[in-house]
Amino acid sequence: MKQLAVAAAALLASAAIAAADPVLGTWQTEVDDGAFAHVKMQPCGQKICGTIARTFRDGGEYQSDTIGKMLVRNMEPVGEGHYEGKVWRPSNDKIYIGKIDLEGNSLNLRGCVAGGLICAKQTWKRVQ
């Protein structure tokens, strides 16, 4: 019984910490291959994950097969608005080393290869 209480307390503490994380919410990506998305960032265990919630093309919303898929994976806060984990790029179906730098209502996301030496980046804007 005591172990169950300790486990429950640890789970609640990690949920409270994640709930207070400023990266949580909905973010709009930059246009990539003619489309952009709204990504909902939320806790996934003690880390942060981002799932595609809505997709847009040519100024209008459309039902992409990527809706509901995880774009940002297992981002771990490493201090001062910086996060490290993985990112998935739908246009080529590849997973990259991911890094996030949060600055107010801007989220600077990088997907990197070669141990982080070569990176592509986007700046996302907070929607909600």
Side-chain angles (χ1 to χ4, degrees), residues 19-103:
D21 196 302
V23 79
L24 299 180
T26 302
W27 298 85
Q28 181 173 309
T29 69
E30 286 185 24
V31 174
D32 187 12
D33 290 332
F36 67 93
H38 286 179
V39 176
K40 185 174 183 180
M41 303 288 276
Q42 55 195 8
C44 55
Q46 293 186 14
K47 299 182 180 179
I48 306 291
C49 295
T51 303
I52 298 171
R54 299 172 70 187
T55 52
F56 302 85
R57 176 178 44 212
D58 298 328
E61 188 169 0
Y62 76 104
Q63 294 299 308
S64 168
D65 60 353
T66 61
I67 293 174
K69 293 190 178 177
M70 193 178 299
L71 185 72
V72 176
R73 301 171 180 208
N74 298 317
M75 284 288 173
E76 188 169 359
V78 293
E80 298 182 18
H82 304 292
Y83 300 78
E84 295 179 353
K86 302 280 184 188
V87 293
W88 170 61
R89 185 174 182 200
S91 63
N92 65 5
D93 196 27
K94 299 220 184 251
I95 296 175
Y96 298 93
I97 296 168
K99 296 180 185 277
I100 290 176
D101 297 314
L102 182 63
E103 297 175 8

